[in-house]
Amino acid sequence: MGKKDRIAFGIYLVVALAFLVFAIVYLTCQSFMPYHQQAAGMNWDQISPGMQVLIQALMKMTAAGFFVISFSMLILLFIPFRRGQQWAHRAIALLGLIWSGMSLYVTSVVAVKTQASPPWHAAAAGAALIITAFIISPGSGKKQLTRA
C-alpha cells in the first residue's frame, strides 16, 4: 500500500471505529439520549411503558445499523482494500456515505423541527472524513480490473 492508501485506510478505520462506538452506545443505553429528551420535551420516566419499548427498539435498530456499517467497512478495509483491490475503495466510501448521509438527514430534521441538539455534527464529520479519504486514495479515481 502506498502512502496515500495508508492515509485513506487510517481515515476509513477511524470512521468505522467511531461507528462501532455509536453502535455500542445505542445498544447499551437504558433510556433515550439527551437530545431525544429535548425533542420529546419529557423525561424518560414520563414516557408511557409502551412508548419506552418502542423507543428502545428503534435505538437497538439504530445500533444494528451502526454495527453492520462498521463491520462491513472493517472487513472491506482489512481484506480487499489492503490487497489493493480497487472496488473496495469505492465500496467503503459508498457504505460510509450512505450511512453518514442518512444520519445527517435524520439528525438535521430533528434539529430543525424541535428544540433538540442532536449529534448532526458527528454525521457531517463522518461524511467529510469519508469524502476526504476517497479523494486522497489513488484507487478512488482509477479504473482497474483485478482478477482473482
Side-chain angles (χ1 to χ4, degrees), residues 44-56:
W44 182 249
D45 58 356
Q46 294 173 304
I47 306 248
S48 70
M51 190 60 90
Q52 287 181 357
V53 169
L54 180 61
I55 291 169
Q56 282 287 304

Side-chain angles (χ1 to χ4, degrees), residues 18-53:
F19 287 166
L20 186 58
V21 168
F22 273 97
I24 293 167
V25 167
Y26 273 79
L27 186 65
T28 60
C29 193
Q30 298 300 311
S31 65
F32 52 32
M33 306 301 273
Y35 73 91
H36 296 146
Q37 180 177 338
Q38 291 172 335
M42 303 166 99
N43 293 326
W44 182 249
D45 58 356
Q46 294 173 304
I47 306 248
S48 70
M51 190 60 90
Q52 287 181 357
V53 169

Side-chain angles (χ1 to χ4, degrees), residues 59-81:
M59 289 178 66
K60 300 309 180 217
M61 287 305 297
T62 300
F66 274 115
F67 272 122
V68 168
I69 294 300
S70 177
F71 285 124
S72 296
M73 289 176 71
L74 290 169
I75 289 167
L76 290 170
L77 271 173
F78 282 99
I79 300 173
F81 187 98

Side-chain angles (χ1 to χ4, degrees), residues 59-136:
M59 289 178 66
K60 300 309 180 217
M61 287 305 297
T62 300
F66 274 115
F67 272 122
V68 168
I69 294 300
S70 177
F71 285 124
S72 296
M73 289 176 71
L74 290 169
I75 289 167
L76 290 170
L77 271 173
F78 282 99
I79 300 173
F81 187 98
R82 284 184 41 179
R83 290 181 180 163
Q85 295 177 349
Q86 301 303 310
W87 64 269
H89 291 267
R90 292 171 190 86
I92 293 166
L94 182 63
L95 285 170
L97 282 176
I98 289 171
W99 187 257
S100 293
M102 289 303 298
S103 297
L104 181 57
Y105 170 74
V106 169
T107 54
S108 295
V109 167
V110 172
V112 168
K113 292 190 175 189
T114 71
Q115 298 298 315
S117 299
W120 67 268
H121 297 92
L129 285 170
I130 291 164
I131 291 168
T132 301
F134 185 76
I135 291 169
I136 288 172

